[in-house]
Amino acid sequence: MTNTGRSPARPVQLDEVSKAIIEQLQVDGRRSYADIGKAVGLSEAAVRQRVQKLTESGVMQIVAVTDPMQLGFTRQAMIGVRASGDTREVAARLAEIPEIDYVVLTAGSFDVLAEVVCEDDAQLIALLNERIRSIPGVQSTESFVYLMLQKQFYNWGTVRNRES
Amino acid sequence: MTNTGRSPARPVQLDEVSKAIIEQLQVDGRRSYADIGKAVGLSEAAVRQRVQKLTESGVMQIVAVTDPMQLGFTRQAMIGVRASGDTREVAARLAEIPEIDYVVLTAGSFDVLAEVVCEDDAQLIALLNERIRSIPGVQSTESFVYLMLQKQFYNWGTVRNRES
DNA sequence: AGTGAAACGACCGTAGA
DNA sequence: TCTACGGTCGTTTCACT
């Protein structure tokens, strides 16, 4: 459910062809293997094998991503959380909240960072007061409301249902 | 290149079937339209039409996402930036840095938040000193180094080549 | 790890409810 | 906006390099 246990140990070394395949799929995840093959100079079967390995090994995933703005979630913010006790517990509790789509434990003046996606200010305020500050161990929060998204690229963790 | 101009105006209202289709594609972006149709109770052509509309309207995108950890990017951090002058300029400069995959202008005690993905501490330190703090207008930065990612779900902005 | 060929299944356009 | 259907193209399997 959450994304503990991200294994690397030794990083995967990709050749230029695999990188090119990933770049193609970053533009269009449904592009046919045959088309990709033409672009990178490989047969369709070879592309398919590489894509399968990349996805099975967990290096890459092909998924649908949605635009919160277009779906009416007009208020986004990063919440810095200062917590006492086991910060992993606090992070786990934050991860249970559906309006929160990103939770990370950090070293620095915050213990946890969480990104919230809300429909309006009222929802954001209610979320902060009723469901975030009430979590045991949460000492204080600081909000950074998003004004304008400048750049976003997708790495990944758990890419799954966001039951809102 | 960057993601200015994200138009909503009026949010798209999705019915339950379209939501179900998106959920299917969030698990596997290459699932066949026929399979999705069986799961949501629609014909292959109907699913195809809906997916086309969702992608053309920009509500949804099907793309490949990669795991930075498995690719050897073991140091990630959120950088809070305090800036003077036009913070959009600073954000634009930050967005040009390939190791930075996320830039957002915020209201709060930071003017800009940027997420960096690095191979090691040395790269992170060099990045901060040589390329972030040297940007005109940057007054101070504060780093929150990631210890453990707890939850991550994909919304989207620009999903494009990350030339590293 | 790669290619090529044949069988199969998915995708696309169009017609019609 | 949906279903139905046929042509085309992509995918799969397998034998081979």
Side-chain angles (χ1 to χ4, degrees), chain A residues 6 29-31 61 65-67 95 101-102 105 109 115 142 147 151-156 158 160, chain B residues 6 30-31 61 65-67 95 101-102 105 109 115 142 147 151-156 158 160:
Chain A
R6 333 188 34 184
R30 272 193 163 259
R31 193 152 190 190
Q61 254 189 295
V65 291
T66 55
D67 182 354
D101 61 11
Y102 191 90
L105 285 144
S109 65
E115 190 183 62
E142 197 170 333
L147 300 176
K151 181 184 187 179
Q152 192 166 347
F153 176 84
Y154 289 96
N155 302 311
W156 74 277
T158 307
R160 283 292 176 276
Chain B
R6 342 183 29 182
R30 274 195 161 255
R31 195 155 189 185
Q61 253 188 295
V65 289
T66 53
D67 181 354
D101 60 12
Y102 190 91
L105 284 143
S109 65
E115 190 183 64
E142 198 171 333
L147 300 175
K151 182 184 188 181
Q152 192 165 348
F153 177 84
Y154 289 94
N155 302 312
W156 73 275
T158 307
R160 283 289 177 278

Side-chain angles (χ1 to χ4, degrees), chain B residues 76-104:
Chain B
Q76 284 185 260
M78 188 68 76
I79 314 292
V81 178
R82 277 177 272 263
S84 60
D86 192 336
T87 54
R88 289 171 297 187
E89 287 286 340
V90 173
R93 291 289 301 275
L94 287 165
E96 288 168 9
I97 301 173
E99 287 90 345
I100 293 182
D101 60 12
Y102 190 91
V103 178
V104 62

